[in-house]
Amino acid sequence: MKKVLLSLLMVAGLGFAASAQSEGAVNKISVGPEFLFPVGDAGEGFNLGYGGSVQAEFNVAPSLNLTASAGYISLGYKKEIKDAAKAFGVELSNPGFVPVKAGAKYYFGGNFYGAAELGAVFGTDEGSGTAFVYAPTLGTSFAVSDKSAIDLGVRYEGWSKNGTSSFIGIRAAFAFGL
């Protein structure tokens, strides 16, 4: 929980320190690494998820962008889970997932934003199936040149399929205008 609060404070601080121009008034693509920290039931079996994503933003109003994103996440099993499986002669590999989401991002007075996305997450392992995904986000985007920016976001992400797996996600991306 301390990590989550520290991450939120960092994102908020960067948002307030960034220039006052609105980042939301342009179409852009961002690419960057992602980290998922499992919470709740997901935290009992997994340590950390990591991967990357691409997100497109399409400006539809002065402070509102529609978003579309896709990526790849690999989740790491906890050591005790891998050891227990190995005791039964089973070698576990980290499962992979492809989240595909669409939503909206609203910029509050400058570079600080709130976003919400819905979509599906597809398991890459045989028989893993598909789950519904939802992800509310808080973040900041600040310009580093005329047509590029750094985008930092912290989100809660839930994957629902016969129960819910929950994560705190962090994304640090490089964005460039179209």
Side-chain angles (χ1 to χ4, degrees), residues 121 131-136 156-160 164-167:
V121 60
F132 172 73
V133 62
Y134 54 95
Y156 171 84
E157 187 161 318
W159 298 354
S160 293
T164 300
S165 296
S166 303
F167 308 91

Side-chain angles (χ1 to χ4, degrees), residues 83-141:
D83 290 345
K86 192 178 277 189
F88 290 101
V90 176
E91 191 70 36
L92 289 178
S93 61
N94 293 340
F97 299 91
V98 177
V100 178
K101 300 177 276 191
K105 186 182 277 189
Y106 183 79
Y107 288 84
F108 305 105
N111 303 8
F112 198 62
Y113 65 81
E117 290 185 301
L118 302 173
V121 60
F122 304 93
T124 60
D125 294 342
E126 188 175 327
S128 58
T130 304
F132 172 73
V133 62
Y134 54 95
T137 303
L138 288 176
T140 186
S141 179

Side-chain angles (χ1 to χ4, degrees), residues 26-29 147-148 175-178:
V26 295
N27 295 327
K28 56 187 164 182
I29 299 270
K147 291 195 176 212
S148 62
F176 49 94
L178 300 176

Side-chain angles (χ1 to χ4, degrees), residues 4-160:
V4 174
L5 291 174
L6 181 61
S7 297
L8 288 173
L9 288 173
M10 181 181 77
V11 168
L14 288 172
F16 293 123
S19 66
Q21 80 179 49
S22 176
E23 292 291 331
V26 295
N27 295 327
K28 56 187 164 182
I29 299 270
S30 62
V31 178
E34 300 229 6
F35 300 94
L36 292 182
F37 300 94
V39 294
D41 291 341
E44 294 177 16
F46 297 104
N47 278 328
L48 173 70
Y50 55 90
S53 65
V54 175
Q55 183 179 71
E57 292 185 41
F58 305 99
N59 184 248
V60 294
S63 296
L64 181 66
N65 288 356
L66 296 182
T67 63
S69 64
Y72 178 81
I73 297 290
S74 177
L75 288 174
Y77 284 109
K78 287 190 171 183
K79 183 180 181 334
E80 53 269 17
I81 301 293
K82 282 189 170 187
D83 290 345
K86 192 178 277 189
F88 290 101
V90 176
E91 191 70 36
L92 289 178
S93 61
N94 293 340
F97 299 91
V98 177
V100 178
K101 300 177 276 191
K105 186 182 277 189
Y106 183 79
Y107 288 84
F108 305 105
N111 303 8
F112 198 62
Y113 65 81
E117 290 185 301
L118 302 173
V121 60
F122 304 93
T124 60
D125 294 342
E126 188 175 327
S128 58
T130 304
F132 172 73
V133 62
Y134 54 95
T137 303
L138 288 176
T140 186
S141 179
F142 54 94
V144 293
S145 74
D146 288 343
K147 291 195 176 212
S148 62
I150 301 295
D151 187 309
L152 302 171
V154 176
R155 71 183 179 280
Y156 171 84
E157 187 161 318
W159 298 354
S160 293

